[in-house]
Amino acid sequence: MAPDTSTQIHNIGYRSYDGPRLGRAYARKSLFAQSLRGAYGLGRSAKSKVLPMLLFAVMCVPALILVAVAIMVPTYTDLPIKYTTYALTTQVIIGLYLASQAPQSVSRDLRFKTVPLYFSRPIERVDYVVAKFAAMASALFILTATPLVIMYIGSLLAKFDFGDQTKGFGQGLVSVLLLSLLFSGLGLVMAALTPRRGFGVAAIIAVLLIPYGAVSAVQGIAYSTGSTGVVEWLGLFSPISLIDGFQAAFLGATSAFPGQEAPSAAAGSVYLLVILGLIAGSYAALMARYRKAGL
């Protein structure tokens, strides 16, 4: 049989890429945007959107009710609840949101071993950690700040004092910003310890809720026995109590401690230092974790 002479081999080679090299900054920004969208189920399946959107709605509904009551009842001259109190009142919702989304942000990369693929590109360990930390903190800030925005707009519609409401709104934003950074750091560290999402969820809930229950119980005992000076220092041992003590000392918030006694300025300074130390420590722990996970 005669050979088929119609077959030809073309050596097309490889074309070099002459376009712009976007580099680490673009990769970091893309990872941040993708992680932030994923924290609310955007770009994922419909099933993945249900829980974060439901928790977001649950966070906002009480704020809408407070605004409606304040507008409809003419005797009110202020909102029924302070801006700085709202996040602590809804701490269970915040904890559930963090426990559901922090493992989704980092545990899946560990479980499917995609972290080395990230680091094979022009992205380094610090870029990955910063992007994930910033995305989780931003997602929590959106969750906690949106109800405050609703309350602020409602207070202006109710024609409450503009100066007082603006000051309270600003204090509330500072509080939830610190809360978002602190909770995000702790949540991501717990989630990054294991590729199993269920273990991460349980660990985050335990870190946020168990210390608060223990601290509140011991504070109550100390207060009832007359050891009131110990109460403010016991708050250093719970993430939620740390935020409570800081904002009571510096942001004019009403403390949830027994007797509603705000910590002194000196104790409040210690609270702030511990909060900043935990945020920095969480970042350092994540960097150490991904030194190994990136191999």
Side-chain angles (χ1 to χ4, degrees):
M1 179 181 293
D4 184 4
T5 57
S6 63
T7 302
Q8 299 181 17
I9 299 177
H10 299 276
N11 182 15
I12 61 175
Y14 291 94
R15 293 185 60 186
S16 60
Y17 177 70
D18 298 325
R21 301 286 181 176
L22 299 177
R24 288 173 54 191
Y26 181 82
R28 185 169 56 244
K29 183 177 70 173
S30 299
L31 183 58
F32 165 79
Q34 181 265 338
S35 300
L36 178 56
R37 284 168 50 84
Y40 285 95
L42 302 178
R44 299 168 58 200
S45 65
K47 181 180 178 181
S48 300
K49 297 179 176 65
V50 173
L51 184 57
M53 292 300 181
L54 178 62
L55 291 175
F56 181 80
V58 172
M59 277 291 291
C60 294
V61 167
L64 291 170
I65 295 174
L66 290 174
V67 166
V69 170
I71 293 175
M72 295 176 63
V73 179
T75 57
Y76 275 110
T77 58
D78 199 355
L79 292 169
I81 187 173
K82 288 186 176 181
Y83 294 94
T84 49
T85 306
Y86 194 89
L88 298 183
T89 305
T90 56
Q91 60 181 271
V92 174
I93 303 171
I94 298 172
L96 290 176
Y97 177 85
L98 180 64
S100 64
Q101 298 309 310
Q104 182 276 137
S105 181
V106 295
S107 297
R108 294 171 62 196
D109 291 341
L110 295 171
R111 184 166 67 252
F112 297 115
K113 303 185 185 302
T114 57
V115 174
L117 296 179
Y118 280 114
F119 297 165
S120 67
R121 298 293 180 182
I123 183 174
E124 297 184 5
R125 178 166 47 101
V126 63
D127 301 314
Y128 183 88
V129 172
V130 167
K132 291 292 185 178
F133 202 143
M136 194 70 253
S138 298
L140 264 187
F141 184 72
I142 292 172
L143 180 76
T144 53
T146 301
L148 303 188
V149 173
I150 295 173
M151 292 168 62
Y152 181 62
I153 294 174
S155 69
L156 297 183
L157 293 176
K159 299 181 180 180
F160 295 155
D161 185 79
F162 177 79
D164 290 343
Q165 296 304 316
T166 302
K167 179 182 178 181
F169 178 59
Q171 291 171 335
L173 289 181
V174 172
S175 175
V176 297
L177 176 60
L178 271 181
L179 182 148
S180 299
L181 289 170
L182 176 61
F183 282 25
S184 296
L186 296 175
L188 288 175
V189 169
M190 293 297 103
L193 292 177
T194 173
R196 297 191 177 185
R197 183 173 181 177
F199 289 166
V201 171
I204 292 170
I205 292 177
V207 165
L208 293 183
L209 299 184
I210 293 179
Y212 179 70
V215 166
S216 297
V218 177
Q219 282 179 324
I221 294 172
Y223 185 79
S224 63
T225 56
S227 303
T228 55
V230 182
V231 172
E232 62 181 4
W233 299 110
L234 289 172
L236 295 171
F237 298 96
S238 162
I240 298 172
S241 298
L242 281 171
I243 300 297
D244 186 4
F246 166 76
Q247 67 180 18
F250 295 119
L251 300 179
T254 301
S255 176
F257 292 173
Q260 296 184 337
E261 296 183 5
S264 63
S269 300
V270 176
Y271 273 69
L272 178 59
L273 290 175
V274 173
I275 291 171
L276 296 178
L278 286 174
I279 293 171
S282 298
Y283 173 79
L286 288 171
M287 289 291 289
R289 175 69 178 98
Y290 284 101
R291 182 180 293 112
K292 178 181 179 181
L295 298 177

